[in-house]
């Protein structure tokens, strides 16, 4: 697939593609939190000290948060969005006071690394690359190598 700008700038397009890729395939796919005060969620009572675990692919692929939740549609992260992303609907770095402090740094690093590469090269999957499948371990990874070919623009 040839990279083409769908947003107001190539960097906005890349940022939207990055957020959409993280929505579909969050590298840290499990969040845990300790309950701080008594609360009831869907009829279940949780007490202070209880542990709550959130499997991130579930809300990321929930049609209440995203139209066509299994489709790669980076335009959903562009402004104005076709459907607003609800609070809590995209959590690849967590959210709130316990969210990942590295989110901003990771986004900037992605831009700095990929923009020069994509300006000069066309990246395509090699024919022998099978459809990538997820392997869940400490962090999300591909089950088999993903071979990419680099060509000139």
């Amino acid at each position: 697939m040839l990279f083409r700008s769908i947003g107001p700038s190539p960097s906005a397009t890349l940022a939207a593609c990055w957020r959409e890729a993280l929505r579909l395939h969050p590298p840290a796919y499990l969040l845990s939190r300790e309950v701080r005060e008594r609360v009831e969620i869907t009829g279940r009572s949780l007490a202070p000290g209880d542990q709550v675990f959130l499997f991130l692919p579930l809300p990321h692929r929930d049609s209440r948060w995203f139209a066509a939740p299994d489709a790669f549609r980076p335009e959903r992260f562009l402004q104005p969005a076709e459907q607003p992303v609800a609070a809590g609907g995209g959590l690849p770095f967590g959210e709130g006071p316990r969210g990942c402090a590295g989110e901003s740094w990771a986004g900037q690093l992605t831009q700095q690394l990929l923009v020069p590469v994509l300006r000069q090269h066309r990246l395509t999957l090699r024919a022998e690359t099978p459809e990538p499948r997820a392997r869940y371990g400490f962090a999300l990874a591909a089950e088999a190598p993903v071979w990419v070919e680099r060509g000139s623009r």
Side-chain angles (χ1 to χ4, degrees):
M1 177 179 179
L2 185 62
F3 180 81
R4 63 181 172 76
S5 186
I6 59 172
S9 69
S11 62
T13 297
L14 182 58
C17 289
W18 181 68
R19 289 192 65 199
E20 179 70 344
L22 289 175
R23 182 189 70 81
L24 289 169
H25 307 287
Y29 54 90
L30 188 65
L31 287 180
S32 68
R33 296 292 184 261
E34 184 174 307
V35 175
R36 293 177 21 171
E37 57 188 53
R38 185 167 300 282
V39 65
E40 188 174 310
I41 300 175
T42 64
R44 186 165 193 104
S45 181
L46 300 173
D50 286 351
Q51 293 293 312
V52 177
F53 296 90
L54 176 61
F55 185 64
L56 289 179
L58 293 179
H60 288 182
R61 294 184 184 241
D62 188 325
S63 61
R64 291 176 296 176
W65 302 112
F66 301 100
D70 292 326
F72 182 80
R73 293 175 50 193
E75 60 273 11
R76 70 177 95 230
F77 288 102
L78 296 171
Q79 295 300 325
E82 64 174 48
Q83 173 186 345
V85 177
L91 297 169
F93 288 93
E95 199 169 85
R98 298 198 190 275
C100 178
E103 179 176 9
S104 176
W105 177 79
Q108 291 172 2
L109 186 61
T110 300
Q111 290 273 339
Q112 290 172 354
L113 292 172
L114 288 179
V115 166
V117 170
L118 294 173
R119 279 190 179 137
Q120 297 178 26
H121 304 284
R122 181 171 183 229
L123 304 177
T124 56
L125 286 178
R126 287 179 34 186
E128 66 268 23
T129 299
E131 179 70 27
R133 295 177 45 117
R135 178 179 52 82
Y136 294 98
F138 176 71
L140 181 67
E143 204 171 74
V146 177
W147 298 101
V148 177
E149 252 177 32
R150 175 180 54 125
S152 297
R153 281 204 170 264

